[in-house]
Amino acid sequence: MIPRLLFIAFISLLGISATSAEGRRLEVLFLGDNGHHDPLERYRVLKQALGPQGFNLTFIEKLDEVTREKLDLHDALIVYANHENAKVPEAILPWVTDGGALVALHSACGNFHPSKDWFVLVGGRFKSHEGFEFSPKTVDAEHPITKDLPVLKAWDETYQHMDLTADRHLLQVREPMNKGETAPEPWTWTRNEGKGRVFYTASGHDHRCWNEPAYQILVRRAILWAIGEKKSAEFARLKLPPLVTEVPQIENRTHPEIPMMELQKPLSPEDSAAHTQVPAGTRLVLFASEPMIVNPIAIDWDIKGRAWVIESFGYPNKVPDEPGSGQDKIKILVDADGDGRADKMTVFAEGLRHCTTSVFVKDGVVVTDGKDIVYLGDTNGDGKSDTRKVLATGLGIHDTHAATSQFLYGLDNWIYATVGYSGVEIELNGKHHKFAQAVFRFRPDLSALELLQNTTNNTWGLGFTEQGDVTGSTANNNPSWILSIPAAAYAGSGVPQPKTPRLDTSVRVERNAKNPQAQNLTKMYTNTADVTQVDQIGGYTAAAGHHYYTDRIFADTFSANNAFICEPTGHIVATGDVSDNGSLKQTLLRGNNAFASSDAWAAPVAARVGPDGALWIADWYNPIIQHNVVFRYFNPARNYDQPHSPYQQGDKKGPGKGNAYETPLRDATHGRIWRIIPATAPV
């Protein structure tokens, strides 16, 4: 395992500068496939290694999406795939000739057999291979790619090539080791194609190579050489703020025998933005931050276009019983001068207890307030609540991360909501409602309430497609589900209702009789290895939100079937293509994000489209995300050391209030609201 301090040192070795904010991040398109080389997993490793250095990697595998327009948004194209019997996309060759940068890795020399021009572009073609552990031998030690390059020693396929072009500049060779070989095999080279540059290396069969820092450095240098001196100089002017870590000092720790892990120090909003990737052709702008807004947990907009944000200070340990004694607030934020940033704030309501969500009803909002569902009204229109009416009581809050959340107004004039295992137990009009881990709905005045379907586990996210499908996300390896047949349809049938069908996957497999739920670990694709998780290591363990792109200003970036799923432990807002799959759907979370930060404090918990068509993100901005005590450090090699714990346990016999472990490291001083807008749009 690479501990955090060593990880930061490794990043420094790869060439990060430490101050200023000039220059720009690089956009790198990674063309893979669903083949045996598992490009998506290799991309995942490279993304975590290069993301903290200012490289924005984007995954693509459908050849019809390799257009000139997409290529022009990127500085370099990595090809690592086995599109063997397909023709090379028409846009690639002229794009490289016009000055594009191609980085061809390993199996790239076996792609596109119907297209001989591809092998001329790469500089050679795959012939055969065996496999051994070895180190490529550098033959040009003065080239910027190979000068002082660390030695790469790994098991790899020992490629042999044919149809080698004469205009290659050879950087490395492989010593003879295959049967019958007598001469070194050309291994790594460069060549020019018109105004463009091409790099190729035969290294890179699997994780035994990709996980080596020497290989990651080789690919990094290849990208910087291939994009040319002008773009490399622009990138060199990007002086990323340092990611400084420290070991927190906490007295009277319950388990002093467990070593404390390093935690990164917080960054300013501007410095955090410098470490954040958004889709090519878009930009990230700040709408609000501390001290105006702290710990934002939900966001919505009224008919005037004003942003309503819930601040959650009570989570997870401070949820009092007495109404009005809580710390949570609802704030109205306004950009009065039109510069894209909030400059006016009104506190609509305060004293709330574990307020997780709000929905507009008449002249106010319906919210959660501890165990109560409450209507807060504004009778005089001054932007401050002056009416409080309890509509129902019986929301479970014994575990504060499993409480009721996500009030959304449905097309049928019901309010939809989710709840985790803390559950709901409400008496309403002589009927007893009791359920947990579910999606349910109720009338705005609580004249009726209905359980719709139980979910697979602890549920937080909820969203509607443009067609009216009800979908959501849960915490533990089920970031996408769909409401299928409601409970009322099963009533009296004697047939038990199944739980919400799972939609999510990061593997391109169709559900069938042998694999009805595609029960893989749906992986997240982070921009850093600085990720701490209790469980579902490398996957979704705190999924929140399940909104969709419902505007058209990002038509070239997001489609209407793109879901936004937050995973704050990974510092990402993932995008997943939702497609039909039999009578249900499938959400393919395959490599890309709307927001991905290498700032370990970044913690997006809500992402939804605002009235301006932009994607708005509520960033909890906190180093402590999960409810429970044990943290593990995740790295690309998937090696984990002993559990580390930054917590100070409130109760030596178990969790503290709210069924959550208590620690002074939970932050209550930071928070950000971001907007993602088209790169050419005014703020």
Side-chain angles (χ1 to χ4, degrees):
M1 187 201 78
I2 306 174
R4 293 189 186 206
L5 291 176
L6 290 180
F7 174 75
I8 299 301
F10 168 58
I11 293 304
S12 299
L13 171 67
L14 293 183
I16 276 193
S17 301
T19 57
S20 182
E22 295 183 1
R24 65 179 181 88
R25 298 176 66 90
L26 288 182
E27 299 290 347
V28 180
L29 191 63
F30 190 114
L31 175 60
D33 65 357
N34 196 36
H36 69 277
H37 278 104
D38 200 2
L40 188 58
E41 187 65 20
R42 314 301 165 231
Y43 158 86
R44 186 168 179 251
V45 170
L46 197 63
K47 190 173 178 67
Q48 291 169 350
L50 300 187
Q53 303 175 57
F55 288 73
N56 294 343
L57 270 70
T58 299
F59 189 76
I60 188 171
E61 56 191 340
K62 297 179 180 179
L63 296 181
D64 60 359
E65 295 181 4
V66 185
T67 63
R68 183 60 186 257
E69 292 75 18
K70 185 179 290 291
L71 290 171
D72 284 343
L73 289 173
H74 294 83
D75 300 297
L77 171 67
I78 292 176
V79 177
Y80 177 78
N82 288 90
H83 295 288
E84 297 173 2
N85 298 316
K87 290 184 178 180
V88 61
E90 292 182 1
I92 292 180
L93 274 67
W95 176 75
V96 174
T97 301
D98 291 343
L102 174 63
V103 176
L105 304 177
H106 191 62
S107 58
C109 68
N111 272 318
F112 311 124
H113 288 291
S115 308
K116 293 182 180 179
D117 289 344
W118 171 253
F119 300 110
V120 174
L121 180 66
V122 172
R125 179 175 178 176
F126 169 77
K127 179 181 179 182
S128 64
H129 74 79
E130 295 180 31
F132 300 94
E133 183 178 279
F134 65 96
S135 295
K137 179 182 178 181
T138 296
V139 295
D140 183 353
E142 297 303 317
H143 194 278
I145 294 177
T146 49
K147 185 178 177 62
D148 299 321
L149 183 70
V151 174
L152 171 63
K153 184 176 183 180
W155 188 97
D156 214 327
E157 292 178 330
T158 50
Y159 272 19
Q160 289 180 312
H161 305 85
M162 60 183 182
D163 299 335
L164 294 169
T165 62
D167 60 353
R168 294 170 299 108
H169 179 77
L170 193 60
L171 300 180
Q172 292 180 317
V173 297
R174 173 183 57 74
E175 296 290 7
M177 56 185 61
N178 289 349
K179 184 177 180 179
E181 285 185 332
T182 58
E185 178 70 18
W187 196 254
T188 303
W189 61 72
T190 63
R191 61 178 304 275
N192 296 322
E193 182 68 28
K195 298 178 181 178
R197 291 179 171 183
V198 177
F199 167 88
Y200 168 78
T201 183
S203 292
H205 174 67
D206 61 25
H207 68 273
R208 287 170 287 186
C209 180
W210 284 77
N211 284 342
E212 290 295 324
Y215 187 70
Q216 297 162 13
I217 293 170
L218 173 67
V219 176
R220 178 189 189 274
R221 291 185 179 185
I223 295 170
L224 293 178
W225 174 84
I227 63 176
E229 287 80 6
K230 180 180 179 181
K231 288 184 176 180
S232 291
E234 291 175 357
F235 178 69
R237 291 195 296 271
L238 176 69
K239 308 299 181 182
L240 287 173
L243 300 173
V244 179
T245 64
E246 63 180 358
V247 177
Q249 301 300 312
I250 299 178
E251 297 180 357
N252 302 318
R253 295 180 61 223
T254 303
H255 296 289
E257 73 281 3
I258 301 178
M260 291 286 290
M261 67 192 303
E262 308 99 308
L263 290 180
Q264 180 203 301
K265 292 183 178 181
L267 300 176
S268 69
E270 293 75 18
D271 287 351
S272 184
H275 279 285
T276 302
Q277 175 183 354
V278 294
T282 72
R283 60 186 173 124
L284 184 70
V285 295
L286 183 70
F287 180 72
S289 64
E290 68 276 359
M292 178 179 284
I293 193 72
V294 176
N295 288 8
I297 199 171
I299 187 170
D300 203 352
W301 300 266
D302 60 19
I303 59 174
K304 298 179 181 179
R306 301 179 300 179
W308 291 52
V309 181
I310 296 175
E311 286 185 330
S312 176
F313 292 101
Y315 174 82
N317 307 118
K318 302 174 182 178
V319 184
D321 293 328
E322 188 67 25
S325 62
Q327 297 178 299
D328 295 358
K329 300 177 182 179
I330 300 176
K331 290 182 173 180
I332 304 174
L333 306 183
V334 175
D335 170 19
D337 60 9
D339 67 351
R341 191 158 181 169
D343 46 37
K344 180 181 178 182
M345 183 273 291
T346 302
V347 177
F348 175 77
E350 55 188 332
L352 300 172
R353 304 157 297 161
H354 195 39
C355 182
T356 61
T357 185
S358 67
V359 62
F360 295 107
V361 175
K362 296 182 179 178
D363 297 319
V365 289
V366 172
V367 305
T368 56
D369 181 14
K371 297 179 180 179
D372 303 327
I373 299 177
V374 174
Y375 171 75
L376 302 175
D378 175 13
T379 59
N380 59 13
D382 66 351
K384 298 181 180 180
S385 173
D386 51 31
T387 301
R388 182 181 188 275
K389 180 181 179 181
V390 177
L391 303 178
T393 297
L395 303 181
I397 57 172
H398 71 275
D399 188 305
T400 49
H401 85 313
T404 299
S405 66
Q406 307 298 322
F407 289 174
L408 289 180
Y409 212 105
L411 299 175
D412 53 4
N413 291 319
W414 289 67
I415 294 174
Y416 286 70
T418 60
V419 66
Y421 50 75
S422 284
V424 169
E425 187 169 5
I426 293 176
E427 292 286 344
L428 195 64
N429 300 326
K431 186 175 181 180
H432 187 72
H433 300 271
K434 184 177 181 180
F435 51 83
Q437 295 187 176
V439 54
F440 64 101
R441 66 176 184 169
F442 57 88
R443 289 294 188 184
D445 59 358
L446 260 294
S447 59
L449 183 148
E450 180 184 359
L451 167 67
L452 295 172
Q453 194 166 16
N454 288 111
T455 54
T456 57
N457 59 79
N458 194 20
T459 302
W460 190 266
L462 184 67
F464 303 141
T465 68
E466 289 189 342
Q467 293 73 35
D469 297 310
V470 180
T471 63
S473 56
T474 66
N476 301 308
N477 195 28
N478 185 193
S480 183
W481 51 259
I482 191 168
L483 172 66
S484 56
I485 302 175
Y490 287 88
S493 69
V495 178
Q497 183 194 27
K499 295 180 179 179
T500 48
R502 178 178 180 172
L503 303 185
D504 61 274
T505 182
S506 56
V507 179
R508 280 195 177 278
V509 293
E510 295 298 322
R511 291 179 178 84
N512 51 47
K514 294 182 179 179
N515 191 19
Q517 293 295 321
Q519 292 287 358
N520 59 291
L521 175 69
T522 299
K523 297 179 181 179
M524 58 179 179
Y525 299 87
T526 64
N527 269 32
T528 176
D530 194 353
V531 174
T532 48
Q533 296 184 297
V534 174
D535 49 21
Q536 315 300 329
I537 306 299
Y540 289 81
T541 188
H546 202 294
H547 291 282
Y548 291 86
Y549 189 66
T550 53
D551 205 280
R552 296 297 180 266
I553 67 169
F554 283 125
D556 295 333
T557 305
F558 305 120
S559 61
N561 63 346
N562 272 156
F564 301 120
I565 301 174
C566 299
E567 178 47 71
T569 67
H571 327 300
I572 63 172
V573 177
T575 58
D577 289 329
V578 180
S579 58
D580 291 334
N581 185 23
S583 62
L584 296 173
K585 294 183 180 296
Q586 177 174 273
T587 305
L588 194 62
L589 295 166
R590 197 160 167 85
N592 293 318
N593 309 298
F595 174 105
S597 183
S598 53
D599 177 0
W601 278 58
V605 293
R608 58 191 305 191
V609 178
D612 56 354
L615 179 63
W616 293 59
I617 297 170
D619 183 357
W620 177 257
Y621 205 75
N622 207 303
I624 308 298
I625 304 303
Q626 290 193 259
H627 206 61
N628 303 309
V629 63
V630 177
F631 270 11
R632 293 182 185 272
Y633 186 66
F634 169 61
N635 70 35
R638 291 167 290 182
N639 296 320
Y640 311 106
D641 71 347
Q642 296 298 315
H644 287 266
S645 173
Y647 288 104
Q648 179 184 17
Q649 202 167 304
D651 180 353
K652 291 186 179 182
K653 295 181 180 180
K657 295 179 180 179
N659 200 35
Y661 283 85
E662 298 182 42
T663 171
L665 298 178
R666 293 190 190 274
D667 183 79
T669 59
H670 294 83
R672 287 90 195 260
I673 302 293
W674 302 100
R675 295 166 58 236
I676 298 176
I677 63 175
T680 57
V683 293

